[in-house]
Amino acid sequence: MANSKTAAEAAIHGQIEETTAWKDFLALIKMGIVNSNFITTFTGMWLAFYFTGMSFLGNLDIVLLTMIGSSLIIAGSCAINNAFDRDIDILMERTKTRPTVTGKIQPGQAYAFGILLVVLGLIMLLMTTITSAVIGFIGVFTYAVLYTMWSKRHYTINTVIGSVSGAVPPLIGWTAVTGTIDTTAWVLFMIMFIWQIPHFLSLAIRKTEDYRKAGIPMLPVVYGFEVTKRQIIIWTACLLPLPFFLGGLGWPIVALGTLLNIGWLVIGLMGFKMKDVMKWSTLMFVYSLNYLTIFFVAMIIITLF
């Protein structure tokens, strides 16, 4: 059991519920984040095989090392994040039942487990290419240190800084195969980097009061909804030219990416007319989830034919 103070605080809020050790483990490593990054890492790796002409089935060792290694460093980073943020997680509705808050997992255990996962993951990536391991380390450092331990609690730019770590999975996948980064890989990185900002700012609008209670300086908390809306529009518009750099995948991908970008921008502009900002931010958030899944899965499918 973790420190009694944390557990007692959670109990006061009536949030301690019966959970299995497996469920607590999945919550600790934020399995949803691990799964979403699994897709983007795989896409980067798959496209690297496609453009280099290397055999996917003939390099299953690289595939397994890359996918498992990247998943481990992401899971480890999330565990470290949970341990560090337990004091503010208890103040927010969506995070106050995490096992590091309720006391079901001790902070020391979470830190140790997170570091172990990161080390194991980096070793596995190092068995593919040095470049892949270096990029993986940059992702971990950005998320665990620059975002979690520094910018998240002090600056509204925390969303931008955190987006760097969320954008490296395609680069990890790509460099695990090639050892180098070319234009297509950088475009995947930029899509992921820019995508995260309107995605998380939309979530921040929906959870503004949660962030306010926790003292986290998210953009809508500090500058309000109108400024946040404008930032969302600007960042969404920055996605518009990127599909045109994916011409090597054929015009269907360019067209799909362009249509997805225009659709997102149109919904974004609707925010200046819709009176219900929460409904609008929910539309933006849901669209962003579908955007990423459709676009990245389509890149894989198109190369099969």
Side-chain angles (χ1 to χ4, degrees):
M1 220 46 182
N3 65 72
S4 57
K5 181 180 178 181
T6 302
E9 288 172 339
I12 289 173
H13 288 80
Q15 292 301 320
I16 294 183
E17 59 183 42
E18 290 296 324
T19 55
T20 63
W22 179 245
K23 185 176 180 179
D24 290 337
F25 167 74
L26 295 181
L28 177 67
I29 65 172
K30 300 184 182 181
M31 196 61 195
I33 292 178
V34 175
N35 287 337
S36 62
N37 282 284
F38 189 94
I39 296 173
T40 58
T41 304
F42 184 84
T43 301
M45 180 181 62
W46 177 269
L47 293 182
F49 279 121
Y50 174 76
F51 282 109
T52 60
M54 294 174 60
S55 170
F56 178 84
L57 295 178
N59 291 279
L60 288 180
D61 55 335
I62 294 177
V63 174
L64 292 175
L65 287 169
T66 303
M67 299 311 302
I68 297 174
S70 62
S71 295
L72 288 177
I73 65 170
I74 293 166
S77 299
C78 288
I80 293 171
N81 170 272
N82 271 339
F84 190 84
D85 279 352
R86 65 191 184 280
D87 61 321
I88 56 177
D89 280 347
I90 194 174
L91 303 174
M92 298 189 287
E93 287 298 321
R94 70 185 182 88
T95 58
K96 65 184 181 181
T97 58
R98 286 176 175 170
T100 43
V101 174
T102 61
K104 294 179 179 179
I105 295 179
Q106 296 181 13
Q109 291 175 326
Y111 278 125
F113 188 63
I115 292 171
L116 176 62
L117 291 181
V118 168
V119 171
L120 290 176
L122 290 177
I123 290 174
M124 296 185 78
L125 291 180
L126 195 58
M127 294 170 69
T128 60
T129 66
I130 294 177
T131 308
S132 181
V134 169
I135 293 174
F137 176 79
I138 291 173
V140 171
F141 182 79
T142 302
Y143 184 71
V145 179
L146 299 184
Y147 171 69
T148 300
M149 299 180 182
W150 174 54
S151 65
K152 182 177 181 178
R153 301 178 185 227
H154 298 96
Y155 307 105
T156 57
I157 202 173
N158 59 26
T159 305
V160 177
I161 293 173
S163 294
V164 173
S165 58
V168 299
L171 291 186
I172 292 175
W174 184 282
T175 56
V177 176
T178 67
T180 59
I181 309 175
D182 74 357
T183 301
T184 301
W186 280 121
V187 172
L188 295 178
F189 172 85
M190 289 305 300
I191 290 173
M192 285 300 303
F193 172 73
I194 296 172
W195 170 85
Q196 288 175 92
I197 300 172
H199 169 77
F200 284 113
L201 287 181
S202 297
L203 177 63
I205 289 178
R206 297 173 60 206
K207 302 297 181 182
T208 297
E209 292 310 312
D210 257 7
Y211 287 122
R212 197 188 308 280
K213 289 177 186 177
I216 302 175
M218 296 299 288
L219 198 63
V221 173
V222 178
Y223 294 107
F225 291 157
E226 293 306 310
V227 170
T228 306
K229 285 180 182 179
R230 290 198 292 271
Q231 286 293 310
I232 288 174
I233 296 301
I234 291 170
W235 284 103
T236 303
C238 288
L239 286 168
L240 288 172
L242 294 181
F244 295 96
F245 291 93
L246 295 174
L249 292 172
W251 69 264
I253 285 297
V254 176
L256 175 62
T258 301
L259 288 174
L260 287 172
N261 288 338
I262 292 174
W264 201 1
L265 185 59
V266 168
I267 296 176
L269 291 171
M270 288 168 53
F272 291 108
K273 292 187 176 181
M274 291 180 65
K275 295 182 179 180
D276 190 340
V277 68
M278 292 302 165
K279 181 178 180 180
W280 172 77
S281 63
T282 299
L283 284 174
M284 289 291 285
F285 183 75
V286 172
Y287 188 95
S288 68
L289 293 174
N290 288 296
Y291 173 102
L292 191 67
T293 302
I294 292 171
F295 201 11
F296 274 72
V297 171
M299 291 183 206
I300 296 173
I301 294 175
I302 200 72
T303 57
L304 292 173
F305 301 99

